[in-house]
Amino acid sequence: MAGVFSEPFYLRIWFYHPNFIQSQIVVAFREGLHFYDNTFETGSGSQVFPWDLYGTVHGLEDFIWEPATEPEPYCLPGQAEI
């Protein structure tokens, strides 16, 4: 990789369980740095990472798990839900 990125940035893996297909890698920086700060509500302390299903994935233990509440999809009147 050429050079070093020295600006602050937001980099997260949004891991949805059991809706894995909705999982995303999210990146933001510069003017959009704080765009995702309040995207999710903090999850309850009773949520735990499903290690029994994904614990064999190499390197997964290096990530910091921050449980959050999955948002409900919202559609404007007349729009179909995706």
Side-chain angles (χ1 to χ4, degrees):
M1 183 185 321
V4 175
F5 192 74
S6 60
E7 297 180 48
F9 61 93
Y10 175 98
L11 174 62
R12 300 286 190 277
I13 298 172
W14 291 356
F15 180 80
Y16 289 86
H17 176 76
N19 301 317
F20 182 78
I21 196 71
Q22 294 178 324
S23 298
Q24 303 175 46
I25 297 174
V26 180
V27 178
F29 69 107
R30 296 186 180 152
E31 294 82 20
L33 179 61
H34 297 288
F35 182 82
Y36 297 104
D37 286 354
N38 297 307
T39 300
F40 297 102
E41 293 181 27
T42 303
S44 70
S46 64
Q47 291 176 305
V48 296
F49 189 84
W51 291 107
D52 56 322
L53 298 174
Y54 304 102
T56 59
V57 176
H58 178 71
L60 194 60
E61 67 279 355
D62 296 332
F63 289 91
I64 298 170
W65 169 245
E66 296 177 13
T69 302
E70 184 173 347
E72 293 293 323
Y74 175 80
C75 294
L76 295 172
Q79 289 183 324
E81 187 175 325
I82 298 175

